[in-house]
Amino acid sequence: MKIGFACKYHGTPEQVEGYNFKTITAKTLMSMEQGAARHRLLEILRGNLSIFRRVLYDVGVINPVPDLRMFRFSGDILPLTTHHSTSTFYWSPEVREIIERDLSTSGVLSREQDVRLSVHPGQFTLLGSYKP
């Protein structure tokens, strides 16, 4: 059996700062003016992708135990991805380029440091629906 690091870190705010993904609720996002909502979602997205790279680095480079080179991350890395209110945001060329570039960089880091990855959906991620 192999074990690794889970997607949520617990401890004092100082200990977990920079390790847990940020999120936003659909209700909060939809209550914002469209430009402000887009800006906030982009800010969270960029922050989460940066946190992901930091955790991969820590698990692969700083971690002294080779058998613990696994990170299970949450679908919350891309908040509200399946929500109808964010579909145009996530399909915009600018956002797709950011996601593709950053996840590609993270993939290279993961392979270089021999860090295994797994993912589980966030609590509000829609996995399947009879409606397309």
Side-chain angles (χ1 to χ4, degrees):
M1 175 172 79
K2 294 191 176 201
I3 59 174
F5 293 89
C7 61
K8 288 284 187 186
Y9 290 86
H10 297 280
T12 66
E14 295 80 25
Q15 291 171 322
V16 300
E17 180 63 35
Y19 283 96
N20 289 326
F21 295 143
K22 307 291 188 247
T23 193
I24 190 168
T25 64
K27 181 178 180 178
T28 299
L29 193 69
M30 292 181 356
S31 72
M32 300 170 79
E33 182 271 322
Q34 187 176 8
R38 186 181 194 295
H39 176 76
R40 180 67 180 130
L41 197 53
L42 189 57
E43 180 181 69
I44 292 169
L45 171 67
R46 285 185 168 140
N48 286 353
L49 291 168
S50 177
I51 288 167
F52 187 49
R53 284 190 311 276
R54 176 183 179 181
V55 171
L56 286 177
Y57 178 83
D58 287 356
V59 170
V61 176
I62 295 174
N63 174 20
V65 184
D67 287 345
L68 288 178
R69 291 186 181 218
M70 193 282 281
F71 178 58
R72 181 177 177 123
F73 64 97
S74 165
D76 290 339
I77 190 171
L78 306 174
L80 299 173
T81 311
T82 61
H83 196 272
H84 65 86
S85 68
T86 62
S87 61
T88 55
F89 172 80
Y90 280 108
W91 283 102
S92 72
E94 173 197 7
V95 172
R96 289 182 59 88
E97 192 273 326
I98 290 168
I99 293 169
E100 289 171 8
R101 182 193 63 231
D102 284 25
L103 289 182
S104 177
T105 301
S106 296
V108 169
L109 178 62
S110 173
R111 286 185 292 279
E112 287 175 351
Q113 301 304 322
D114 196 30
V115 175
R116 294 172 295 123
L117 297 173
S118 72
V119 64
H120 70 86
Q123 64 180 340
F124 298 112
T125 301
L126 178 63
L127 295 177
S129 172
Y130 61 93
K131 296 178 184 178

